[in-house]
PDB file of all heavy atoms in Angstrom:
ATOM      1  N   TYR A 207      -9.492 -29.834  23.616  1.00  0.00           N
ATOM      2  CA  TYR A 207      -9.517 -28.413  23.962  1.00  0.00           C
ATOM      3  C   TYR A 207      -8.093 -27.911  24.233  1.00  0.00           C
ATOM      4  O   TYR A 207      -7.128 -28.692  24.251  1.00  0.00           O
ATOM      5  CB  TYR A 207     -10.413 -28.198  25.176  1.00  0.00           C
ATOM      6  CG  TYR A 207     -11.904 -28.113  24.853  1.00  0.00           C
ATOM      7  CD1 TYR A 207     -12.377 -28.337  23.561  1.00  0.00           C
ATOM      8  CD2 TYR A 207     -12.830 -27.812  25.843  1.00  0.00           C
ATOM      9  CE1 TYR A 207     -13.729 -28.266  23.275  1.00  0.00           C
ATOM     10  CE2 TYR A 207     -14.192 -27.732  25.563  1.00  0.00           C
ATOM     11  CZ  TYR A 207     -14.637 -27.967  24.274  1.00  0.00           C
ATOM     12  OH  TYR A 207     -15.972 -27.877  23.991  1.00  0.00           O
ATOM     13  N   PRO A 208      -7.915 -26.622  24.452  1.00  0.00           N
ATOM     14  CA  PRO A 208      -6.559 -26.069  24.630  1.00  0.00           C
ATOM     15  C   PRO A 208      -5.719 -26.763  25.686  1.00  0.00           C
ATOM     16  O   PRO A 208      -4.498 -26.900  25.526  1.00  0.00           O
ATOM     17  CB  PRO A 208      -6.846 -24.610  25.002  1.00  0.00           C
ATOM     18  CG  PRO A 208      -8.132 -24.294  24.307  1.00  0.00           C
ATOM     19  CD  PRO A 208      -8.940 -25.555  24.411  1.00  0.00           C
ATOM     20  N   GLU A 209      -6.359 -27.221  26.764  1.00  0.00           N
ATOM     21  CA  GLU A 209      -5.600 -27.889  27.828  1.00  0.00           C
ATOM     22  C   GLU A 209      -4.874 -29.131  27.315  1.00  0.00           C
ATOM     23  O   GLU A 209      -3.842 -29.527  27.853  1.00  0.00           O
ATOM     24  CB  GLU A 209      -6.532 -28.286  28.975  1.00  0.00           C
ATOM     25  CG  GLU A 209      -7.177 -27.116  29.711  1.00  0.00           C
ATOM     26  CD  GLU A 209      -8.509 -26.704  29.126  1.00  0.00           C
ATOM     27  OE1 GLU A 209      -8.748 -26.945  27.905  1.00  0.00           O
ATOM     28  OE2 GLU A 209      -9.332 -26.136  29.864  1.00  0.00           O
ATOM     29  N   ALA A 210      -5.426 -29.759  26.276  1.00  0.00           N
ATOM     30  CA  ALA A 210      -4.815 -30.963  25.710  1.00  0.00           C
ATOM     31  C   ALA A 210      -3.705 -30.639  24.723  1.00  0.00           C
ATOM     32  O   ALA A 210      -3.040 -31.542  24.216  1.00  0.00           O
ATOM     33  CB  ALA A 210      -5.883 -31.816  25.022  1.00  0.00           C
ATOM     34  N   HIS A 211      -3.506 -29.363  24.457  1.00  0.00           N
ATOM     35  CA  HIS A 211      -2.508 -28.947  23.464  1.00  0.00           C
ATOM     36  C   HIS A 211      -1.510 -27.941  24.015  1.00  0.00           C
ATOM     37  O   HIS A 211      -0.978 -27.117  23.276  1.00  0.00           O
ATOM     38  CB  HIS A 211      -3.215 -28.393  22.231  1.00  0.00           C
ATOM     39  CG  HIS A 211      -3.859 -29.462  21.395  1.00  0.00           C
ATOM     40  ND1 HIS A 211      -3.136 -30.384  20.666  1.00  0.00           N
ATOM     41  CD2 HIS A 211      -5.170 -29.771  21.183  1.00  0.00           C
ATOM     42  CE1 HIS A 211      -3.957 -31.203  20.034  1.00  0.00           C
ATOM     43  NE2 HIS A 211      -5.196 -30.858  20.340  1.00  0.00           N
ATOM     44  N   GLY A 212      -1.283 -28.008  25.322  1.00  0.00           N
ATOM     45  CA  GLY A 212      -0.187 -27.237  25.880  1.00  0.00           C
ATOM     46  C   GLY A 212      -0.545 -25.981  26.626  1.00  0.00           C
ATOM     47  O   GLY A 212       0.358 -25.263  27.077  1.00  0.00           O
ATOM     48  N   PHE A 213      -1.817 -25.691  26.793  1.00  0.00           N
ATOM     49  CA  PHE A 213      -2.192 -24.464  27.488  1.00  0.00           C
ATOM     50  C   PHE A 213      -2.493 -24.737  28.960  1.00  0.00           C
ATOM     51  O   PHE A 213      -3.259 -25.644  29.290  1.00  0.00           O
ATOM     52  CB  PHE A 213      -3.401 -23.812  26.814  1.00  0.00           C
ATOM     53  CG  PHE A 213      -3.060 -23.176  25.495  1.00  0.00           C
ATOM     54  CD1 PHE A 213      -3.266 -23.854  24.310  1.00  0.00           C
ATOM     55  CD2 PHE A 213      -2.503 -21.902  25.451  1.00  0.00           C
ATOM     56  CE1 PHE A 213      -2.940 -23.281  23.087  1.00  0.00           C
ATOM     57  CE2 PHE A 213      -2.177 -21.320  24.237  1.00  0.00           C
ATOM     58  CZ  PHE A 213      -2.388 -22.011  23.053  1.00  0.00           C
ATOM     59  N   ASP A 214      -1.886 -23.936  29.834  1.00  0.00           N
ATOM     60  CA  ASP A 214      -2.147 -24.040  31.261  1.00  0.00           C
ATOM     61  C   ASP A 214      -3.565 -23.621  31.603  1.00  0.00           C
ATOM     62  O   ASP A 214      -4.196 -24.174  32.506  1.00  0.00           O
ATOM     63  CB  ASP A 214      -1.175 -23.151  32.045  1.00  0.00           C
ATOM     64  CG  ASP A 214       0.262 -23.614  31.925  1.00  0.00           C
ATOM     65  OD1 ASP A 214       0.517 -24.808  32.140  1.00  0.00           O
ATOM     66  OD2 ASP A 214       1.130 -22.784  31.610  1.00  0.00           O
ATOM     67  N   VAL A 215      -4.061 -22.620  30.897  1.00  0.00           N
ATOM     68  CA  VAL A 215      -5.385 -22.059  31.186  1.00  0.00           C
ATOM     69  C   VAL A 215      -6.160 -21.928  29.882  1.00  0.00           C
ATOM     70  O   VAL A 215      -5.613 -21.516  28.859  1.00  0.00           O
ATOM     71  CB  VAL A 215      -5.264 -20.670  31.860  1.00  0.00           C
ATOM     72  CG1 VAL A 215      -6.649 -20.058  32.080  1.00  0.00           C
ATOM     73  CG2 VAL A 215      -4.500 -20.765  33.172  1.00  0.00           C
ATOM     74  N   ASN A 216      -7.425 -22.265  29.927  1.00  0.00           N
ATOM     75  CA  ASN A 216      -8.335 -22.079  28.801  1.00  0.00           C
ATOM     76  C   ASN A 216      -9.570 -21.355  29.293  1.00  0.00           C
ATOM     77  O   ASN A 216     -10.280 -21.838  30.177  1.00  0.00           O
ATOM     78  CB  ASN A 216      -8.737 -23.429  28.199  1.00  0.00           C
ATOM     79  CG  ASN A 216      -9.916 -23.315  27.236  1.00  0.00           C
ATOM     80  OD1 ASN A 216     -10.072 -22.306  26.549  1.00  0.00           O
ATOM     81  ND2 ASN A 216     -10.743 -24.345  27.182  1.00  0.00           N
ATOM     82  N   ILE A 217      -9.830 -20.200  28.736  1.00  0.00           N
ATOM     83  CA  ILE A 217     -11.042 -19.450  29.041  1.00  0.00           C
ATOM     84  C   ILE A 217     -11.793 -19.202  27.747  1.00  0.00           C
ATOM     85  O   ILE A 217     -11.308 -18.501  26.861  1.00  0.00           O
ATOM     86  CB  ILE A 217     -10.727 -18.110  29.737  1.00  0.00           C
ATOM     87  CG1 ILE A 217     -10.054 -18.375  31.093  1.00  0.00           C
ATOM     88  CG2 ILE A 217     -11.995 -17.272  29.911  1.00  0.00           C
ATOM     89  CD1 ILE A 217      -9.591 -17.130  31.794  1.00  0.00           C
ATOM     90  N   GLY A 218     -12.944 -19.820  27.613  1.00  0.00           N
ATOM     91  CA  GLY A 218     -13.799 -19.559  26.465  1.00  0.00           C
ATOM     92  C   GLY A 218     -13.616 -20.474  25.286  1.00  0.00           C
ATOM     93  O   GLY A 218     -14.417 -20.431  24.345  1.00  0.00           O
ATOM     94  N   GLY A 219     -12.577 -21.306  25.275  1.00  0.00           N
ATOM     95  CA  GLY A 219     -12.317 -22.143  24.114  1.00  0.00           C
ATOM     96  C   GLY A 219     -13.160 -23.401  24.096  1.00  0.00           C
ATOM     97  O   GLY A 219     -13.129 -24.190  25.041  1.00  0.00           O
ATOM     98  N   THR A 220     -13.919 -23.602  23.024  1.00  0.00           N
ATOM     99  CA  THR A 220     -14.791 -24.769  22.879  1.00  0.00           C
ATOM    100  C   THR A 220     -14.685 -25.316  21.459  1.00  0.00           C
ATOM    101  O   THR A 220     -13.907 -24.827  20.641  1.00  0.00           O
ATOM    102  CB  THR A 220     -16.259 -24.408  23.160  1.00  0.00           C
ATOM    103  OG1 THR A 220     -16.736 -23.539  22.108  1.00  0.00           O
ATOM    104  CG2 THR A 220     -16.417 -23.722  24.501  1.00  0.00           C
TER     105      THR A 220
END
Side-chain angles (χ1 to χ4, degrees):
Y207 278 5
E209 295 91 334
H211 287 291
F213 287 96
D214 294 310
V215 177
N216 167 33
I217 297 175
T220 68

